[in-house]
Amino acid sequence: GTKLGVGLWTDSLGIVAESMHSGLDMVATVVTLWAVRASGRPADAEHSYGHGKIENLAALFETLLLLGTCAWIIKEAVDRLFFQAQVHVDANIWAFLVVILSIIVDFSRSRALMKVAKKHGSQALEADALHFSTDIWSSLVVLLGLICVLLGHSLDLPWLGKADAVAALGVAGVVVVVSLRLGKASIADLLDSIPPELSRRVAGVAKIREVREVRQVRVRRSGPGLFIDLTLVMEAGESLDRSHELANEVEAAIKTEFARSDVVVHVEPAPMSTVDKATAARRLAARHGSGAHNIRIFEQDGRVIMELHLEMPETLGLGEAHRRASALEDDLRDALPCLSQVITHIEPAQAPAATHDAEPGEVERIQQCLMRFPELASKGISTHDLCVRRTEDRLSVSFHCTLPADTPIKEAHDFTQRIEQFLRAEIPGLDSVIVHAEPSGEHEGVS
């Protein structure tokens, strides 16, 4: 109000332009106040991403207001410079005082606004702070114009009287540049445009251990907040629980780096082609609702062939079981193009059988049989954790045996196979025999 009164009194277009600029700043600040309060409301059914975009709309509205003011200022300045007779500007003490007062007020409020804008990440408040900081420069331009006008009166140089109109053009030019910059940022946020380095930063934060790759990083800004969604490619064979834990770790890391962010993480397994063939077969079989074991892969005449056993429900008909096996074979060939042939053997999945401890006499019989195995005594091999159970009318046996730690795996396997064959020969009708080989020293003194 002071600017406008002094500007009309002194007939200074520069001061009038400043007053119009300040008046629109007041309108913009009221809009900003409403926008900040409205954008802080939580998400609802109609605005699932919240109301943050209101701040971007408010900043765009301020831009349009400022550009409209600039158009009027430029028109008046051009008229005074080229089409009107000499306009007398009274560059008195009040004109200088009001411009200096304006500079002091703009400096204090721009600093206060920028501090709060950075603290809360508010684009609307940052826009206000930017406006008021540019007001300082535009006021300095007006002050320079008044000085030139005063010199023109003192030195009798009429052409210096045009300096006020030139100062008004300078104010308009500064405001146009700032407005266009603000408008560009507002439109970019409304169109979900972000700097490419922001996506790269998100991907870098998400690339933690056991994450093979970060894909499809998408970021959108809404007011002070960021909405981030991305896809994590996990190592093959990760369980659902572990994948969920890793996704939570990535989400926490991103929220630490970007304080006001809402993060959605999608997890998917690594492509089949990046895992070993046996693991790929087990994973595909599980997707088809079957178990896979006895997987063998070998080459013959330059061709890669896979053989595997498929477990299916025993109540399933042969036609349906064959259809499922064929579908799995097709998927395996698609996932592993190197396979020239896939051969499946269908067998019924064994349901858990009811078991109970064997009679003491049966346990003693197994112990005595083990003691008669020649290699145990001759090689000083001890056994422990013998477990004998009866399943329906058959016995199941499991126990541990110790071997030297440097024993090759093949030799250890052959040794356990010989014990199994010996027990089956001595005790006909054994259901299963499980021999667990372990290095010497882990269970010293246990037998």
Side-chain angles (χ1 to χ4, degrees):
T2 307
K3 282 182 182 179
L4 181 62
V6 173
L8 295 175
W9 175 27
T10 60
D11 206 12
S12 169
L13 181 60
I15 298 179
V16 172
E18 271 290 278
S19 70
M20 296 295 291
H21 186 187
S22 297
L24 284 178
D25 278 351
M26 183 180 70
V27 175
T29 301
V30 173
V31 173
T32 300
L33 175 62
W34 167 80
V36 170
R37 296 185 65 179
S39 66
R41 296 201 305 265
D44 54 35
E46 294 182 350
H47 305 87
S48 57
Y49 285 97
H51 300 79
K53 293 288 187 184
I54 292 177
E55 283 205 22
N56 308 125
L57 281 173
L60 184 61
F61 174 72
E62 292 181 36
T63 299
L64 297 177
L65 278 179
L66 289 170
L67 289 176
T69 307
C70 291
W72 178 83
I73 294 172
I74 292 171
K75 176 183 178 300
E76 290 296 316
V78 170
D79 282 347
R80 287 196 177 190
L81 285 172
F82 301 108
F83 303 107
Q84 292 184 7
Q86 182 70 31
V87 177
H88 177 76
V89 177
D90 184 10
N92 58 33
I93 186 65
W94 296 108
F96 284 95
L97 287 178
V98 74
V99 175
I100 293 172
L101 175 64
S102 174
I103 292 173
I104 295 172
V105 172
D106 287 338
F107 177 76
S108 62
R109 64 181 178 177
S110 65
R111 286 192 63 184
L113 273 170
M114 187 59 73
K115 182 179 178 180
V116 178
K118 290 182 177 179
K119 179 180 178 181
H120 297 284
S122 171
Q123 189 184 57
L125 290 177
E126 185 179 358
D128 256 7
L130 186 62
H131 283 172
F132 298 148
S133 65
T134 57
D135 285 353
I136 298 173
W137 295 102
S138 61
S139 296
L140 288 172
V141 171
V142 172
L143 189 62
L144 179 61
L146 288 173
I147 292 173
C148 290
V149 170
L150 186 62
L151 288 174
H153 294 335
S154 302
L155 302 176
D156 194 20
L157 298 173
W159 59 271
L160 280 178
K162 300 286 187 179
D164 179 66
V166 174
L169 282 176
V171 172
V174 171
V175 177
V176 166
V177 171
V178 173
S179 299
L180 291 178
R181 188 183 305 162
L182 175 64
K184 180 181 178 182
S186 302
I187 293 173
D189 283 345
L190 288 170
L191 296 178
D192 294 330
S193 175
I194 59 164
E197 59 269 16
L198 183 58
S199 294
R200 289 194 289 268
R201 281 181 60 198
V202 172
V205 173
K207 191 70 170 61
I208 64 174
R209 65 189 188 284
E210 298 177 68
V211 174
R212 294 191 57 160
E213 187 182 352
V214 180
R215 296 178 180 170
Q216 296 177 331
V217 179
R218 295 187 293 183
V219 183
R220 67 190 299 263
R221 192 185 301 276
S222 180
L226 291 175
F227 289 90
I228 302 171
D229 62 87
L230 66 157
T231 297
L232 302 180
V233 179
M234 296 296 189
E235 293 288 349
E238 290 288 0
S239 66
L240 178 60
D241 286 343
R242 181 57 184 152
S243 297
H244 181 65
E245 290 176 5
L246 288 171
N248 284 341
E249 289 181 25
V250 169
E251 182 178 342
I254 293 175
K255 287 185 175 180
T256 300
E257 181 71 17
F258 305 96
R260 297 176 181 87
S261 59
D262 184 289
V263 185
V264 177
V265 179
H266 170 70
V267 179
E268 63 183 33
M272 290 292 183
S273 58
T274 65
V275 302
D276 65 272
K277 300 177 181 63
T279 301
R282 293 189 188 94
R283 283 171 50 181
L284 276 176
R287 293 182 189 178
H288 283 261
S290 302
H293 63 276
N294 286 7
I295 301 172
R296 298 181 61 204
I297 303 168
F298 51 91
E299 292 188 16
Q300 181 178 348
D301 300 329
R303 300 162 60 228
V304 179
I305 302 172
M306 174 183 286
E307 295 180 351
L308 67 155
H309 290 216
L310 285 181
E311 300 175 2
M312 296 198 181
E314 60 182 12
T315 57
L316 202 63
L318 178 60
E320 176 62 17
H322 182 267
R323 186 194 67 77
R324 294 187 184 182
S326 298
L328 173 60
E329 292 173 9
D330 292 339
D331 285 353
L332 271 172
R333 281 190 289 266
D334 290 340
L336 303 172
C338 62
L339 294 179
S340 60
Q341 187 177 9
V342 179
I343 304 171
T344 56
H345 169 72
I346 301 172
E347 61 184 41
Q350 294 184 351
T355 63
H356 55 84
D357 291 338
E359 298 294 333
E362 294 174 321
V363 177
E364 184 178 356
R365 183 184 177 192
I366 298 296
Q367 289 175 330
Q368 292 176 352
C369 187
L370 283 174
M371 293 175 63
R372 292 196 301 272
F373 184 63
E375 293 183 59
L376 290 181
S378 63
K379 296 183 178 180
I381 298 173
S382 64
T383 62
H384 59 90
D385 290 347
L386 174 65
C387 180
V388 183
R389 290 187 175 86
R390 180 164 288 279
T391 304
E392 298 177 351
D393 59 344
R394 301 170 69 87
L395 287 177
S396 296
V397 178
S398 66
F399 60 91
H400 295 214
C401 69
T402 58
L403 296 171
D406 58 353
T407 303
I409 289 294
K410 185 178 185 309
E411 290 183 16
H413 178 69
D414 292 344
F415 174 76
T416 59
Q417 287 288 95
R418 291 195 296 274
I419 297 180
E420 180 180 347
Q421 293 169 3
F422 177 80
L423 288 176
R424 291 189 184 279
E426 292 289 318
I427 307 175
L430 281 180
D431 182 26
S432 68
V433 179
I434 304 296
V435 184
H436 174 76
E438 62 190 18
S440 303
E442 293 197 2
H443 291 273
E444 293 294 340
V446 180
S447 63

